[in-house]
């Protein structure tokens, strides 16, 4: 009896603690991508210009211009992308809604066939489909999930994606510029701070993925450092050639 009580308690605890993170939200991807892109692109841009042996003022102006241009570009791109995706989904939902209204029995049979294909007994599948199809909105939600792989009530927001992208890009792009704004007169503090930021961003991303924090952090550090190194070399080469 005690064993059964213990198992019941463990089962209840597992049920209470078994939660999932939001993987469909419209803010995570643009925020992560924006921060990474802001760090890498602005660091590479500034090191490329610095490789051409330009003045400190030119490097700072380049970094600030890269921050502003990149943030607005990312926000506009994310808004357009997510809005277009949402409009496409809504158009397909309208198609499904018309089919449910015009051919309810065909749609019910289609839903039953989907459940049968997943291993449900035909009679049970037909009964489940019949009951679920009583409510048109519920039927639309189920068909959308089964056929389109989307939740009509949880579509990503273009505005959320744009704001997330803008803010995260601006924050990431600010790191390489910050040492100069605080009085630094050489490049290495900006590079160091940006590389630390890249490692930190990679480690944070690991919190929502299956990767370890150090692997994700080192991966971003290596990729960002490589981009900065290549652009610095190109800037040096072009600066010599132009000069």
């Amino acid at each position: 009896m005690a064993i059964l009580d213990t198992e019941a308690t463990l089962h209840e605890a597992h049920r209470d603690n078994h939660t999932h993170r939001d993987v469909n939200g419209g803010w995570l991807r643009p925020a992560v991508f924006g921060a990474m892109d802001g760090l890498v692109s602005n660091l590479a841009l500034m090191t490329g210009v610095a490789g051409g042996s330009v003045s400190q003022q030119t490097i700072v102006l380049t970094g600030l211009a890269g921050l502003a241009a990149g943030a607005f570009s990312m926000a506009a791109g994310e808004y357009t992308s997510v809005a277009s995706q949402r409009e496409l989904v809504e158009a397909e939902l309208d198609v499904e809604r018309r089919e449910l209204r015009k051919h309810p029995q065909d749609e019910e049979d289609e839903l039953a066939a989907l459940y049968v294909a997943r291993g449900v007994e035909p009679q049970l599948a037909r009964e489940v489909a019949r009951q679920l199809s009583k409510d048109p909105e519920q039927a639309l939600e189920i068909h959308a999930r089964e056929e389109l792989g989307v939740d009509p009530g949880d579509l990503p927001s273009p505005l959320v994606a744009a704001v997330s992208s803008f803010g995260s890009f601006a924050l990431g792009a600010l790191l390489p510029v910050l040492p100069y704004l605080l009085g630094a007169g050489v490049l290495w503090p900006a590079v160091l701070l940006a590389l630390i930021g890249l490692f930190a961003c990679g480690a944070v991303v690991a919190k929502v993925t299956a990767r370890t924090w150090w692997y994700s952090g080192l991966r971003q550090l290596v990729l960002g450092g490589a981009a900065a190194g290549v652009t610095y070399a190109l800037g040096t080469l072009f600066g010599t050639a132009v000069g």
Side-chain angles (χ1 to χ4, degrees):
M1 185 65 180
I3 295 177
L4 292 176
D5 290 341
T6 301
E7 290 180 349
T9 301
L10 291 174
H11 177 73
E12 185 68 24
H14 173 74
R15 186 178 66 181
D16 291 341
N17 294 328
H18 186 69
T19 57
H20 292 283
R21 292 163 291 191
D22 179 16
V23 297
N24 293 321
W27 66 270
L28 180 59
R29 184 188 64 84
V32 171
F33 181 75
M36 297 294 187
D37 193 30
L39 269 167
V40 175
S41 64
N42 220 29
L43 174 62
L45 179 65
M46 292 174 63
T47 54
V49 171
S53 299
V54 298
S55 66
Q56 176 184 341
Q57 182 181 16
T58 301
I59 297 175
V60 174
L61 289 176
T62 299
L64 293 176
L67 185 157
F72 282 109
S73 176
M74 286 287 292
E78 281 294 334
Y79 185 91
T80 302
S81 174
V82 175
S84 299
Q85 179 186 8
R86 185 180 179 117
E87 289 164 1
L88 175 61
V89 171
E90 289 174 344
E92 292 300 313
L93 289 175
D94 286 339
V95 172
E96 192 64 36
R97 190 177 286 109
R98 287 196 299 270
E99 289 298 312
L100 286 167
R101 186 173 60 251
K102 293 180 180 179
H103 309 289
Q105 189 57 52
D106 291 342
E107 292 297 307
E108 183 179 319
D109 293 341
E110 182 180 344
L111 187 59
L114 284 172
Y115 291 140
V116 170
R118 294 189 176 188
V120 180
E121 296 180 357
Q123 183 177 353
L124 179 59
R126 286 193 294 270
E127 179 60 22
V128 171
R130 184 187 68 81
Q131 293 189 29
L132 293 177
S133 299
K134 290 181 179 179
D135 183 355
E137 287 304 314
Q138 179 177 256
L140 175 64
E141 181 178 337
I142 294 170
H143 279 275
R145 287 179 175 176
E146 295 291 340
E147 298 176 27
L148 303 175
V150 298
D151 183 354
D154 192 27
L155 298 180
S157 167
L159 183 59
V160 169
V163 171
S164 299
S165 181
F166 181 93
S168 60
F169 185 99
L171 183 61
L174 178 64
L175 284 184
V177 188
L178 193 58
Y180 282 103
L181 297 179
L182 295 178
V186 290
L187 181 63
W188 71 263
V191 174
L192 179 61
L193 183 59
L195 292 178
I196 292 174
L198 282 169
F199 183 86
C201 282
V204 169
V205 169
K207 294 295 183 180
V208 294
T209 65
R211 294 290 187 182
T212 57
W213 64 271
W214 58 267
Y215 175 86
S216 184
L218 284 176
R219 179 175 60 183
Q220 288 304 131
L221 177 65
V222 170
L223 292 175
V230 170
T231 53
Y232 183 85
L234 291 175
T236 302
L237 178 64
F238 296 152
T240 303
V242 172

